[in-house]
Amino acid sequence: MTDQNEIELQTALPNEKEGLKTEEQLTPLIQFAQITIKVQDIVDKIPLGRFHYRFMFIVFLHYFSAAYVTYNLGYILMYPKYQCIFNDQKYFSECQREQICSNQDGLINEWRVDDKNELSLNNWVTRLDLMCADSFYIGLYGSLDFFGQLFASVFLTPLADKYGKRWFTIIGSSSQILTFIIILVFQNRVLYYFSILILGITFINKNFVTYSHLMDFIGQKGSFVTGWLFCLDSFNFIFSPLILYFITKNTQVFAWIGLVITCTVVASLKFIYFPESLKFTLNQGNYEKAKADSKQIMSENGDRLVDYLNLAQLIDKYETQQKKEQEKNKTNEDQVDEKPSIRKLIFTTRYTIRNLLLMIICWISTSTSFFIFNFYIKYIQANIYVIGVAMGFSCFGYLYSDIVVQRLGFAKCLSISYAIASILMGLIIFIDPNQISVYIYALMFFMLKSFVCMSYSGIFVSHVYLFDSRILATSYGICGLFSRIAMLFIPMIVEIPNKKIPLVILLIMNMSAFGASFLLKKIDQ
């Protein structure tokens, strides 16, 4: 809505000093203001208040719940340190699990977990007897997480757009309770695989469905929420190693945290007003329900009755417009629809195919670089708790990426992030961590993850400049699909015996993305 239209509308609608006008007085005034009402205009007319803050709090909690398990699979599946008594020894000495598992010659008389070692956690390796399991079965936990995300991205999000987001949020949060109970009560590998798969599905549910549900209510007024939501979500990487180092070595604590948070979310949904998205309700033509929801929201916010009546008039105006549009469509139903299809737009709009191929490279590089350290951290040859906390603070990369984009543009933001990430990755590969201070080594990982976060934010922004608005959502879907297919292989790559190979692969991908960022072509909107 333009500023001029806003002035006309405010002039036409009642205000507190004039008092309420009758319906007969009000309707002609609105008809006089020839304004095209959009759904976003209606949403923006509801001021932020108590309802929005409660809603935001619940969404934030739901956003963090599953991450306490899925983000910490590196710790949860990390092998403890072992001690053995060999045939020619009388005392325990350090040994490798491979030696214990392949003790065919009987060289080892006795072995035990070195409980005094800070890296010996009470995790799923001991709980599920995975010490001698093939690395494939270890990596499968992470792969099922990403497969759940892939499945939800393809099938779940379109259903939420079609049938509404409210029940998907309720079902998603409720199903997490079952998964956490399974993890806490049972000791069965198959059940744990099932739980991780469900957590992967709910990860996408809260990332896309619940997040967009929140955005549907707060609109542009809450643009600051996204950066802080990603940032606070990444605080998990700070808290988790601190919990393991200072509080408990039992990784089941993460399932307990997830269970408590999820139960809080589900219980809160019973006590707060939790309506369907106003945008969805309006787009479905359920205008009376939209009025009822708006009235309840504004009542909880403490807004005046006159404010609600103004909004109700907007909804009536929107309903009238939609009916006229439907009548117009019926009149022209015999005419040929010349609206181009999504497929045609992809192949005919300028630079679309080129940019799609290049952005797929960027998405794969950024996504794998971001998530691989969730699993690789257990193999870092340094104090993994210091490294973990350092990488956790990289979450502020989400915040300053916006500054870089505004000052230098999206292409330079991507180029800088991939270039510096490649340099740091090369240093990490060739530097012996035992020869430098652990804090300097941690600083390198902090900088690396910061620029990965910077590119993560940058690729989302880039689509707005690279693709026609009519295929914007499709461009996200295509790039997200390929990136999640690539992410299926991350947990398996991490288990490669030569632990430098995963880092070399990341280096190659970041260098490829650096080259791709220079070839992107901005379109004229």
Side-chain angles (χ1 to χ4, degrees):
M1 187 184 297
T2 64
D3 293 338
Q4 181 61 37
N5 285 340
E6 183 79 16
I7 295 173
E8 292 175 359
L9 184 61
Q10 292 295 340
T11 303
L13 293 177
N15 57 59
E16 191 174 19
K17 293 182 179 179
E18 295 176 354
L20 294 177
K21 289 181 170 62
T22 64
E23 184 177 354
E24 291 77 9
Q25 292 174 311
L26 191 58
T27 302
L29 287 173
I30 292 184
Q31 291 176 343
F32 175 78
Q34 300 297 320
I35 302 169
T36 300
I37 305 297
K38 298 180 181 179
V39 172
Q40 189 61 54
D41 298 329
I42 298 174
V43 174
D44 288 339
K45 276 293 180 181
I46 303 178
L48 288 180
R50 287 189 295 271
F51 164 81
H52 297 89
Y53 300 135
R54 286 196 291 262
F55 198 101
M56 197 181 305
F57 176 73
I58 297 304
V59 171
F60 269 49
L61 284 182
H62 183 43
Y63 208 86
F64 306 148
S65 55
Y68 272 95
V69 170
T70 56
Y71 282 2
N72 290 309
L73 284 176
Y75 298 116
I76 290 172
L77 297 171
M78 183 172 67
Y79 294 112
K81 297 299 181 181
Y82 299 98
Q83 292 179 326
C84 300
I85 295 180
F86 294 91
N87 288 341
D88 57 346
Q89 293 179 341
K90 296 182 179 180
Y91 304 101
F92 281 98
S93 60
E94 183 179 348
C95 59
Q96 304 300 317
R97 73 174 187 92
E98 291 82 2
Q99 293 175 292
I100 301 173
C101 296
S102 62
N103 188 30
Q104 299 177 353
D105 299 330
L107 297 177
I108 299 176
N109 293 333
E110 189 178 350
W111 65 271
R112 69 183 183 188
V113 174
D114 184 5
D115 293 325
K116 295 182 179 181
N117 193 301
E118 61 187 15
L119 300 181
S120 295
L121 303 177
N122 181 11
N123 58 15
W124 291 4
V125 174
T126 54
R127 186 175 179 83
L128 301 178
D129 192 22
L130 298 173
M131 183 181 75
C132 294
D134 190 279
S135 60
F136 169 81
Y137 297 105
I138 301 292
L140 186 59
Y141 286 100
S143 294
L144 285 173
D145 174 24
F146 292 130
F147 180 79
Q149 294 185 34
L150 177 63
F151 173 84
S153 297
V154 175
F155 297 104
L156 190 66
T157 50
L159 290 176
D161 285 335
K162 183 176 182 180
Y163 297 107
K165 303 177 179 70
R166 179 176 180 269
W167 279 106
F168 282 89
T169 298
I170 295 173
I171 294 173
S173 56
S174 300
S175 64
Q176 285 186 183
I177 294 178
L178 174 63
T179 63
F180 291 130
I181 290 176
I182 289 175
I183 292 172
L184 291 169
V185 174
F186 297 97
Q187 294 180 240
N188 183 282
R189 296 185 189 182
V190 176
L191 288 177
Y192 276 47
Y193 283 136
F194 171 77
S195 297
I196 291 298
L197 176 65
I198 298 301
L199 288 178
I201 293 174
T202 60
F203 182 89
I204 290 299
N205 183 67
K206 57 94 174 174
N207 265 36
F208 292 165
V209 179
T210 304
Y211 167 76
S212 60
H213 194 179
L214 174 63
M215 291 298 109
D216 284 349
F217 279 108
I218 63 178
Q220 297 177 354
K221 296 188 293 291
S223 59
F224 68 95
V225 171
T226 301
W228 278 107
L229 187 61
F230 288 163
C231 185
L232 293 175
D233 183 47
S234 294
F235 274 20
N236 183 307
F237 298 114
I238 300 174
F239 297 144
S240 297
L242 294 176
I243 290 172
L244 293 176
Y245 192 77
F246 291 107
I247 300 177
T248 178
K249 295 170 70 174
N250 190 340
T251 59
Q252 291 295 87
V253 68
F254 297 132
W256 279 111
I257 294 174
L259 178 62
V260 171
I261 293 177
T262 304
C263 287
T264 303
V265 171
V266 173
S268 299
L269 294 178
K270 298 292 184 181
F271 295 104
I272 73 167
Y273 187 59
F274 189 71
E276 181 54 79
S277 159
L278 278 179
K279 287 187 176 181
F280 177 82
T281 304
L282 289 167
N283 287 327
Q284 291 294 309
N286 197 345
Y287 303 110
E288 293 304 316
K289 182 65 168 62
K291 288 182 182 179
D293 288 339
S294 300
K295 185 175 183 180
Q296 181 66 30
I297 292 171
M298 298 181 77
S299 175
E300 292 195 14
N301 286 348
D303 296 319
R304 298 164 301 178
L305 177 61
V306 65
D307 295 322
Y308 165 69
L309 293 177
N310 288 349
L311 182 66
Q313 290 293 333
L314 278 179
I315 295 176
D316 289 338
K317 176 67 175 178
Y318 178 75
E319 180 182 2
T320 302
Q321 288 179 176
Q322 293 303 105
K323 288 180 178 179
K324 288 182 179 179
E325 186 67 24
Q326 290 173 2
E327 292 175 359
K328 181 180 179 181
N329 291 336
K330 287 181 181 179
T331 303
N332 299 327
E333 61 183 359
D334 295 331
Q335 297 180 1
V336 178
D337 184 9
E338 298 181 354
K339 182 180 180 180
S341 66
I342 296 294
R343 180 181 299 179
K344 184 177 180 180
L345 285 170
I346 291 176
F347 286 97
T348 57
T349 52
R350 194 179 185 188
Y351 300 133
T352 297
I353 296 297
R354 172 197 184 113
N355 286 339
L356 265 179
L357 294 175
L358 295 173
M359 284 303 295
I360 287 172
I361 296 174
C362 294
W363 270 76
I364 291 176
S365 172
T366 298
S367 299
T368 52
S369 298
F370 182 87
F371 284 100
I372 197 169
F373 289 107
N374 294 359
F375 306 91
Y376 189 79
I377 190 170
K378 61 185 177 180
Y379 293 123
I380 294 176
Q381 299 300 309
N383 188 316
I384 61 172
Y385 303 114
V386 175
I387 302 294
V389 171
M391 286 196 293
F393 278 105
S394 65
C395 59
F396 292 104
Y398 292 121
L399 303 180
Y400 60 70
S401 65
D402 292 335
I403 300 175
V404 177
V405 170
Q406 292 174 8
R407 295 189 176 185
L408 301 178
F410 73 93
K412 288 186 178 179
C413 176
L414 291 178
S415 299
I416 292 171
S417 59
Y418 291 128
I420 298 180
S422 299
I423 294 172
L424 291 169
M425 191 71 66
L427 292 174
I428 291 172
I429 291 173
F430 292 106
I431 288 179
D432 183 356
N434 297 316
Q435 302 298 319
I436 62 173
S437 168
V438 66
Y439 298 105
I440 296 178
Y441 200 57
L443 178 63
M444 294 171 61
F445 276 95
F446 161 74
M447 294 176 63
L448 171 63
K449 194 72 178 290
S450 294
F451 284 99
V452 170
C453 290
M454 180 173 161
S455 67
Y456 208 111
S457 180
I459 57 176
F460 274 89
V461 176
S462 299
H463 280 250
V464 178
Y465 300 97
L466 296 173
F467 300 102
D468 189 292
S469 60
R470 293 170 292 180
I471 55 173
L472 186 60
T474 303
S475 70
Y476 280 119
I478 293 173
C479 292
L481 174 65
F482 279 95
S483 68
R484 281 179 169 79
I485 291 175
M487 285 159 58
L488 290 173
F489 300 96
I490 289 177
M492 303 299 179
I493 292 173
V494 167
E495 300 301 327
I496 294 175
N498 187 336
K499 299 309 176 186
K500 287 189 178 294
I501 291 180
L503 299 180
V504 172
I505 293 174
L506 283 187
L507 174 61
I508 293 172
M509 288 193 299
N510 275 274
M511 292 176 65
S512 300
F514 173 70
S517 65
F518 281 99
L519 300 175
L520 294 169
K521 291 289 186 180
K522 183 178 178 181
I523 64 169
D524 296 324
Q525 296 285 2

